[in-house]
Amino acid sequence: MKTLSKVFLFVPFFIFLLFSCSGDDETDVLVKVGGPFEISELAGNWEATSASFSDGNTQSIELINEGGAASLTVQSNGRFTLTIDPSDRPSYTSSGEMFWEEFEGQYYFAIEWADYPGDWDTYGATLNATTFTINGGFDSGEYDFDNDGDFESASIRFTFIRI
């Protein structure tokens, strides 16, 4: 009888462990599919036709209209490099990873910038055969508006064409 009671105690415990321990328990999951387009569809090289930065108050710039340039290279896994080339100073690069963040059954386009690991922002994003757009709210990017070496928080808006 002691053996039978041990079985009755062990089996429920084993079932509990079986169903409670899984690899899907991460609170934040980076998703490459699930949104309006797969992240792998962004793979390739892109050139900006519009690149805007705004601090939401007094400072803003439309980089392309000012004679600058911006380009984006994306790998099929979502890793990317963004090159910003203002007309009045040396170019610089930023990198990170693009993915879909799932929240309450909805998918939001997200970017984790390499300079801020473990922290990401969500963006509005659209993709068709030749055009990719990204729109971010306040603090979704940075730009050195006064060219003093310190980057200020900014909202960003990019329109890229595939090259």
Side-chain angles (χ1 to χ4, degrees):
M1 190 70 170
K2 282 185 162 181
T3 306
L4 189 56
S5 65
K6 287 181 183 177
V7 168
F8 283 124
L9 290 174
F10 180 76
V11 170
F13 180 71
F14 179 76
I15 290 172
F16 172 76
L17 286 177
L18 181 68
F19 287 108
S20 66
C21 298
S22 76
D24 296 336
D25 287 345
E26 291 183 11
T27 55
D28 298 318
V29 178
L30 308 182
V31 182
K32 302 300 177 184
V33 296
F37 56 88
E38 292 187 21
I39 296 299
S40 62
E41 293 179 58
L42 295 172
N45 297 311
W46 301 84
E47 181 178 311
T49 58
S50 174
S52 300
F53 298 87
S54 174
D55 73 354
N57 293 314
T58 59
Q59 301 180 93
S60 64
I61 185 170
E62 203 324 304
L63 191 70
I64 308 306
N65 288 345
E66 298 286 330
S71 62
L72 177 68
T73 301
V74 183
Q75 299 173 15
S76 61
N77 65 359
R79 302 285 311 155
F80 71 90
T81 301
L82 173 66
T83 302
I84 304 293
D85 189 9
S87 62
D88 62 344
R89 61 192 94 163
S91 66
Y92 60 94
T93 61
S94 295
S95 62
E97 184 173 5
M98 300 175 183
F99 56 93
W100 293 106
E101 179 183 16
E102 184 179 3
F103 180 72
E104 295 182 352
Q106 299 288 325
Y107 292 92
Y108 299 91
F109 187 81
I111 296 176
E112 180 179 352
W113 297 94
D115 290 343
Y116 302 97
D119 186 23
W120 59 82
D121 290 310
T122 57
Y123 299 78
T126 61
L127 174 67
N128 67 33
T130 59
T131 306
F132 173 50
T133 63
I134 303 172
N135 298 311
F138 188 69
D139 286 339
S140 61
E142 297 177 331
Y143 190 78
D144 182 7
F145 291 102
D146 52 10
N147 198 15
D148 66 354
D150 294 323
F151 284 80
E152 293 85 31
S153 292
S155 61
I156 62 171
R157 178 175 172 81
F158 290 99
T159 301
F160 294 98
I161 57 170
R162 193 179 293 274
I163 54 173

